[in-house]
Structure formats: C-alpha cells, structure tokens
C-alpha cells in the first residue's frame, strides 16, 4: 500500500498538490498523526440486468482525512490496493475478516507502515513521511458483517456503535437465557463495554479470552483468525 501511494503522488501533479497543501496545514508526526479512512464494499462488474455472482469482488480503498472534504469527493484522492474475488475470500479460514487483519497489519506496521517509519512521499523535491492512525472504517451493514465477523442485526449485539443495545429479551431478568448464563456474566460483559474503544482493551482481558470477550460485546462469531483477534488491532487506531 505504501508503494502505491508513493508512486501515485509522484505521477500525478494534481494529487501531489493536494497532499502538499494538506502537509502544510497539518504536518504529520508521531505526536500528531494523520487520520486514515479505510473503506470496503463488494461490487459485481458487468451487465446489471444479468448479474453474474461468480464475478463478485471485494474492493478495498483508503485515503486521508487531512486532504479535506473537497479532495475526498474526488476519486483521485482514493487509493485502491485490493480487488479480490469474493469466492476466493469464502475459501479462506476467517474470510474477509482475516484478509482485512493482514492488510491492516501491512498498511500500519509494514516496513513503510503508517504507524512505524511512515509512508514516504516526495513533495517539491523534499521527502515527507506520513504517519497516521485509522480513524474510520467505511462500509455497509453486510460489509461490516464480513469485516468484523459480526452476526449483524440477528446477533446478541445488533449494533456495532451502541454498546447498550442488546438482542430483544436476551437480558430480561425473566428470560431463560438470563437464568442459564447468570447475571454475573452479563454484568461482566456490560462492564467491559467501556473498554471497547480503549487502546488498552487487550491488556485488560486475558489473551486467551480476548476474542471471546470482544465477540460477546459486538455479537461476533468465534473465529480466531478474524481482525478482532489480533492483539495489534488496537494499535492501529479505534477500528471499532
């Protein structure tokens, strides 16, 4: 991903001017990192009247919030390093969630990662290292289901944003599930909600139980290879 951005900026005077203006407004550093926006969605090319599901692809793209609203409305400001057949993702353990985990690790923690040495771009003959953290993940409901290995609206937690929303009747004192699992478990899960957006979430939860606990919080399936199971996930930024 770093090489893609470096080459794109070097070959496009328009993009180079956009990045240069953003650097002048917000000089990137480890103390004041830029914000990365990562988006993903499925797309089926070809005739829309005769859709061929075998051609469905998952596209992943990213940009930087500091480029400004006007620039982000233009496709030139977005970088698309990934376009992979959905059928290939379905054959992998963990699916797109595992794929996203690997991509984020490479984008953020690679040799030229945004959270390590920084992404190098040349502006007006001067080399600049862009340091950034993830601020937003963009997708639709189905995209988030795949990315977080989330059960969606039918899961224990039907909403990724509102931690106090539970599946109907699940936590009611008179429900059979409540008596089966006990009030203490629900109290533990509810208490952990406050840790969900904290970068230290993994240090508060035993490593062997991390994904199980976070899975309870967001209604995720228990897949050890998903993006939520990575101890490095929280170092990228607030992906939840």
């Amino acid at each position: 991903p770093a090489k893609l951005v470096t080459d794109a900026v070097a070959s496009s005077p328009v993009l180079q001017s956009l990045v240069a203006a953003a650097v002048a407004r917000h000089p990137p550093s480890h103390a004041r990192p830029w914000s990365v926006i990562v988006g993903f969605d499925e797309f089926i090319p070809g005739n829309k009247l005769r859709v061929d599901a075998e051609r469905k692809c998952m596209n992943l793209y990213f940009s930087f919030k500091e480029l400004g609203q006007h620039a982000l409305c233009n496709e030139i400001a977005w970088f698309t390093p990934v376009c992979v057949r959905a059928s290939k993702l379905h054959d992998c353990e963990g699916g797109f969630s595992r794929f996203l985990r690997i991509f984020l690790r490479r984008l953020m923690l690679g040799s030229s990662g945004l959270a390590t040495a920084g992404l190098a771009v040349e502006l007006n003959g001067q080399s600049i290292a862009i340091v950034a953290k993830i601020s937003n993940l963009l997708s639709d409901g189905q995209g988030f289901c795949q990315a977080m290995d989330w059960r969606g609206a039918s899961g224990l937690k039907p909403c990724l944003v509102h931690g106090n929303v539970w599946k109907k009747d699940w936590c009611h004192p008179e429900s059979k599930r409540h008596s089966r699992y006990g009030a203490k478990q629900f109290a533990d899960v509810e208490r952990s909600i406050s840790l969900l957006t904290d970068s230290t979430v993994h240090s508060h939860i035993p490593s062997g139980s991390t994904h199980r606990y976070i899975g309870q919080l967001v209604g995720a399936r228990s897949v050890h290879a998903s993006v939520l199971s990575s101890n490095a996930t929280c170092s990228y930024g607030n992906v939840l």
Side-chain angles (χ1 to χ4, degrees), residues 4-13 15-16 121-123:
L4 171 64
V5 177
T6 300
D7 290 346
V9 172
S11 61
S12 173
L15 181 57
Q16 190 171 135
V121 293
E122 188 168 330
L123 303 172

Side-chain angles (χ1 to χ4, degrees), residues 151-170:
R151 295 184 184 276
S154 62
L156 174 61
K157 301 304 292 297
C159 180
L160 280 172
V161 178
H162 301 94
N164 62 340
V165 178
W166 292 77
K167 186 176 181 180
K168 185 177 179 181
D169 296 332
W170 184 275

